[in-house]
Amino acid sequence: MAEGVVHVGLLPNAGMGHLTPFLRLAALLLKHNCKVTLITPQPTVSLAESELISRFHSQFPQVTRIDFHLLPFDATSANSTDPIFLRFESVRRSAHSLSPLLDSISPPLSALVFDLTLISPIIPVIETLSLPSFILFTSSARMFSFFSYFPSFANVSDHNHDSLVIPGIPPVPRSSIPPLLRDPNSIFARMFTEDSGKLRKFNGILINTFAGLEAESLEALRERKVSKELPPVFAIGPFEPCEFERLKKENSTSKWLDDQPQGSVVFVSFGSRTAMRREQIREIGDGLLRSGCKFLWVVKDKPIDREEKEGLEQVVGHELMDKLKEKGLVVKTWVDQNEILGHGAVGGFVCHCGWNSVIEAALNGVKILAWPQHGDQKINAEVVEMGGLGMWVKDWGRGEKDLVKGEEIGKAIRQMMNNESPKISLFKIQEAARKALGVGGNCQIMFQRLIEEWKKKD
Ligand code: UDP
Ligand code: G50
């Protein structure tokens, strides 16, 4: 290897919400002249993941590809039916077999950047290899503050207060806490509890965020208010979507969008792994009709794409579907979300607040109507609301027990699209995002700092 070249190993875990930011980080590292090795657990859970990995390697043949084959795993003992959580657990249980794999990489790695779900199991590996290691935290800085302060809460379920106080940032309402934390035997709660106190073992934390959106959390982390034991936090976002993510022209929705007036369309999508109940899907359809807006709606019936068997008409219902076709475009496939958010016809986004989607909306200056469903999404929705990126109807809940009726959905969409929420300040956020990415912006500064640090290893 040419002298001084930095070689970074990237180790994502399952799910598009984890893989995508790792691949965007890979593209950024290549731009900064690093050598990159990508290690992905195989086979992938979804087709979308395997297709994205293929497109990535076609565009970047210089990236070394390592398939990480998992050890046999008995899912019946794991206390979950969620395919992504089961895969997290399986990767965690296989992690020790990464030692020989990473050790054989030549030239040796300068640093390993790994997924936030692999904290405990990666420790023996990096200690054996004396490898500098960094967590890519694929959620918000606010969620990271909650995660890193978590060991200081005596017991989340015993607490009587309405909110949890974290030094330096607005308190986290009890209702925003990821629901699975209340089930101590869930994969999520076990991972969270086991991992959150071990952050000092690592050299740094990378977060896809920027000060224009999360100034308070980033400052609290930098000033060590949240915890004195934290390694440095690098806000390296907003990550820009890349060329390899684009779909073939025939799968594009832009032809339909091209025919719609500027800012008239509401885009509705709940990310890569959130399927709604049939009744809720139909209420959303009803709400879209009642909103009076044009819409582009992505329907998901199963959490994993390989399991989608039924057609769109069957899921939505023929009668409703006929009405919907007159006012909007409804699909049940993977869409190019960034092409959509970047299209001038799109004026609003009904979003589950998966962190990648939030960052993509900020970059494109599209306002959000937050409808968080799982895990970290309520905490991310707080960022959306406090940061002026959108509005949130808090009493909608997570769509699990109570049905949110079409009437309410239509009303909230109308409010968002008509800019009736005075706290939204999109322009400011989009400007801040662009500034962070520009020459001399924070993103560049953070990368230079990181690369300097990685060079020291040689
Ligand atoms: N995405 C997409 N097309 C789809 C569904 C999702 O391009 O049909 C992308 C979206 O742009 C984002 C990622 O998949 O980059 C989803 O990650 P996010 O963190 O928003 O949510 P998750 O899917 O993990 O819940
Ligand atoms: C993935 C997921 C659900 C979920 C989250 C995921 C987060 C992010 C923060 O990333 O909340 C986080 C999760 C687990 C962990 C540490 C930090 O051990 O499927 O909620």
Side-chain angles (χ1 to χ4, degrees):
M1 187 163 53
E3 207 175 313
V5 170
V6 164
H7 185 186
V8 184
L10 297 179
L11 175 65
N13 206 339
M16 287 299 271
H18 295 252
L19 178 64
T20 304
F22 267 90
L23 300 186
R24 290 177 184 167
L25 173 61
L28 279 165
L29 291 169
L30 291 169
K31 218 165 85 184
H32 285 85
N33 300 317
C34 297
K35 182 175 165 46
V36 173
T37 291
L38 176 68
I39 306 142
T40 51
Q42 294 290 342
T44 61
V45 177
S46 65
L47 273 177
E49 290 162 84
S50 64
E51 284 167 11
L52 188 65
I53 293 170
S54 298
R55 292 204 300 271
F56 172 81
H57 283 292
S58 309
Q59 193 190 331
F60 298 117
Q62 70 272 42
V63 170
T64 307
R65 171 180 179 148
I66 297 185
D67 287 352
F68 172 27
H69 296 287
L70 304 175
L71 304 175
F73 169 62
D74 177 14
T76 50
S77 63
N79 192 29
S80 176
T81 53
D82 181 312
I84 300 276
F85 283 140
L86 289 172
R87 179 54 57 87
F88 287 168
E89 184 65 20
S90 161
V91 175
R92 284 169 76 89
R93 293 192 198 177
S94 298
H96 59 276
S97 63
L98 282 166
S99 291
L101 208 146
L102 294 176
D103 200 25
S104 67
I105 294 177
S106 172
L109 295 178
S110 325
L112 177 72
V113 179
F114 66 96
D115 190 79
L116 79 170
T117 57
L118 296 172
I119 290 172
S120 296
I122 208 75
I123 292 173
V125 177
I126 55 158
E127 282 180 349
T128 317
L129 304 177
S130 309
L131 189 57
S133 58
F134 294 74
I135 301 168
L136 176 58
F137 196 86
T138 54
S139 184
S140 53
R142 180 166 170 80
M143 185 64 192
F144 179 70
S145 305
F146 175 74
F147 179 61
S148 52
Y149 196 67
F150 187 73
S152 311
F153 298 126
N155 186 335
V156 169
S157 46
D158 289 349
H159 254 263
N160 287 322
H161 309 290
D162 290 340
S163 57
L164 300 179
V165 176
I166 300 173
I169 64 168
V172 175
R174 176 156 297 281
S175 55
S176 290
I177 295 172
L180 279 172
L181 283 184
R182 299 212 177 97
D183 173 4
N185 293 319
S186 65
I187 291 178
F188 185 81
R190 280 192 279 123
M191 213 161 62
F192 217 82
T193 313
E194 192 185 346
D195 293 359
S196 48
K198 297 185 178 156
L199 297 169
R200 63 179 180 284
K201 300 264 184 194
F202 304 100
N203 302 76
I205 319 287
L206 315 184
I207 310 184
N208 174 18
T209 193
F210 59 104
L213 186 58
E214 293 203 89
E216 233 171 347
S217 296
L218 288 173
E219 197 185 305
L221 289 165
R222 194 179 45 244
E223 293 184 352
R224 304 181 151 259
K225 286 185 189 155
V226 178
S227 161
K228 294 233 176 328
E229 297 202 319
L230 285 183
V233 172
F234 297 82
I236 52 173
F239 287 172
E240 283 184 292
C242 302
E243 197 52 40
F244 60 82
E245 297 175 47
R246 304 209 78 124
L247 299 179
K248 291 200 193 96
K249 260 215 168 70
E250 59 265 32
N251 296 329
S252 162
T253 50
S254 358
K255 235 173 96 206
W256 182 82
L257 286 171
D258 286 345
D259 292 335
Q260 312 307 323
Q262 191 75 8
S264 68
V265 175
V266 55
F267 172 54
V268 184
S269 175
F270 300 92
S272 64
R273 46 181 292 215
T274 300
M276 296 264 183
R277 286 183 295 157
R278 290 286 166 100
E279 300 99 297
Q280 189 61 74
I281 289 179
R282 292 176 185 195
E283 292 297 334
I284 294 173
D286 180 48
L288 286 169
L289 292 174
R290 286 171 186 269
S291 75
C293 302
K294 295 282 187 138
F295 49 83
L296 169 46
W297 177 25
V298 186
V299 174
K300 259 186 91 60
D301 188 42
K302 294 279 182 313
I304 295 301
D305 51 12
R306 295 186 210 271
E307 287 160 15
E308 293 274 3
K309 296 278 181 318
E310 288 181 76
L312 178 60
E313 299 257 340
Q314 246 173 319
V315 173
V316 176
H318 297 289
E319 210 179 307
L320 180 58
M321 195 62 211
D322 283 344
K323 291 188 201 151
L324 289 165
K325 276 183 201 158
E326 288 171 23
K327 289 289 286 182
L329 182 63
V330 187
V331 298
K332 194 166 152 293
T333 52
W334 186 262
V335 296
D336 186 339
Q337 179 163 305
N338 285 291
E339 182 184 66
I340 294 169
L341 292 173
H343 196 290
V346 174
F349 181 13
V350 178
C351 175
H352 71 312
C353 296
W355 189 246
N356 296 291
S357 294
V358 172
I359 290 289
E360 290 159 16
L363 257 175
N364 285 294
V366 177
K367 57 183 177 275
I368 284 178
L369 168 56
W371 190 357
Q373 306 286 322
H374 306 291
D376 53 347
Q377 293 159 14
K378 280 197 173 183
I379 290 182
N380 298 344
E382 288 164 2
V383 177
V384 166
E385 200 188 35
M386 293 186 297
L389 181 57
M391 55 178 270
W392 176 18
V393 186
K394 292 201 183 61
D395 61 5
W396 281 5
R398 299 182 191 262
E400 280 153 358
K401 277 182 272 145
D402 303 323
L403 212 55
V404 182
K405 300 296 280 183
E407 204 174 334
E408 287 177 74
I409 297 170
K411 192 172 131 212
I413 290 177
R414 246 190 342 268
Q415 274 176 355
M416 167 185 57
M417 294 299 276
N418 294 341
N419 289 320
E420 285 169 29
S421 186
K423 280 195 290 191
I424 298 182
S425 55
L426 276 179
F427 184 70
K428 210 175 81 194
I429 294 175
Q430 198 184 10
E431 278 299 296
R434 301 232 169 276
K435 202 170 140 216
L437 287 172
V439 180
N442 223 43
C443 198
Q444 226 173 48
I445 294 173
M446 291 287 167
F447 264 91
Q448 268 150 11
R449 256 181 65 196
L450 271 173
I451 289 169
E452 281 312 308
E453 192 171 329
W454 292 339
K455 274 187 183 156
K456 279 191 227 142
K457 206 203 157 212
D458 293 333

